[in-house]
Amino acid sequence: MVLASPNPIRSEGILPSNELIPVVDLTAERSEVAKLIVKACEEYGFFKVINHGISHEVISKTEEAGFSFFEKPVAEKRVAAPAYGCKNIGLNGDMGEVEYLVLGATTHSIAQISKTVSTDPLNFSSTLSAYTEAVRELACEILELIAEGLGVPDTRAFSRFIRDVDSDSVLRLNHYPPIINKDKDKDMSQYSKVGFGEHSDPQIITILRSNDVGGLQISLQDGVWIPVTPDPSAFYVNVGDVLEVMTNGRFVSVRHRAMTNSYKCRMSVAYFGAPPLHATIVAPSVMVTPQRPSLFRPFTWADYKKATYSLRLGDTRIQLFTNRLTTNHHPKV
């Protein structure tokens, strides 16, 4: 597990570019898009989406609303607790160089929190609600393309979880301040700190966007990190733990982290598409074969969420829910 370190972290184990990261154009021919997404999820658990259909106005207003909140004095931001937090990540001692705002991804939840975070709550609420609706639809479109690409007869097998009125999805705004250089003679370009430590996302799918400041890194193998070049006009998609389970291990829930920038602040907005708490998580029958029996035992999202909160940020949760009778003979590939 990676935690925020008091000492600068140099770039050992970091690849020089992110040219390997797949790029998916949603305006391309649908069957080809579905194939590309499935391939990206199998090999990387991560990809970039362009021509996604979300307007620049919706995106820019959300970024402006986020920065307007994080620019407030700390005492004013703390009024929004527990939706607002700083440095503490979770309940088990994990720390990072980050402050954040977490909102339930519903119009009602956003409206309620907006009363404590903005002097113009109606505008703040309408802005974030419009963004949330847009990225939810994007997530559903991607999940339905995934179902098509995998040959799942019910193309809403995955998306219906986050369309459900009781979906436990959340919207999270993360703000990473730059490193303060107290030594004017020191070159800070090779130094950074862990803003948000190594982890996988427990939900189904993550739709992420940031401003034009880098910091996100993904790991495809232990100890090797790929920096993700920021593209404010695009979205990045993470496979979450639940989607790995629902594809019976064909997809990989990507491990990733966020580093601080030496000179500029970074803000990311992540939509975490999650099932309702009572939903039972199992792979569709087409994903389970005699050659590849079910790798995971059934569980509810409430079960998995409880396990997530009981562990440290970087701990692997998914192994707690494996079907031991099959995983011994059919290791994840």
Side-chain angles (χ1 to χ4, degrees), residues 144 146-158 246 284-287:
E144 287 161 16
I146 285 171
E148 292 175 25
L150 291 172
V152 178
D154 180 3
T155 57
R156 291 199 170 194
F158 307 132
M246 292 196 296
S285 58
V286 71
M287 304 303 302

Side-chain angles (χ1 to χ4, degrees), residues 139 162 167-170 203-207 271-275:
I162 60 176
S167 165
D168 193 40
S169 302
V170 297
Q203 296 89 352
I204 301 173
I205 193 170
T206 305
I207 308 295
Y271 170 81
F272 298 98

Side-chain angles (χ1 to χ4, degrees), residues 193-207:
K193 292 183 179 180
V194 177
F196 205 110
E198 177 185 349
H199 65 287
S200 64
D201 294 337
Q203 296 89 352
I204 301 173
I205 193 170
T206 305
I207 308 295

Side-chain angles (χ1 to χ4, degrees), residues 283-300:
S285 58
V286 71
M287 304 303 302
V288 181
T289 66
Q291 293 74 33
R292 191 180 185 86
S294 179
L295 300 179
F296 303 93
R297 60 180 174 84
F299 56 87
T300 66

Side-chain angles (χ1 to χ4, degrees), residues 56-77:
H56 173 72
E57 181 182 13
V58 167
I59 291 170
S60 61
K61 283 186 175 181
T62 300
E63 183 172 300
E64 181 181 341
F67 274 122
S68 70
F69 171 73
F70 289 119
E71 288 169 356
K72 292 176 178 289
V74 172
E76 291 184 26
K77 289 183 286 191

Side-chain angles (χ1 to χ4, degrees), residues 82-83 119 122 147 160 173 213 216 240 256:
T119 55
L122 289 178
R160 66 163 46 91
L173 287 73
V213 178
L216 178 64
H256 53 286

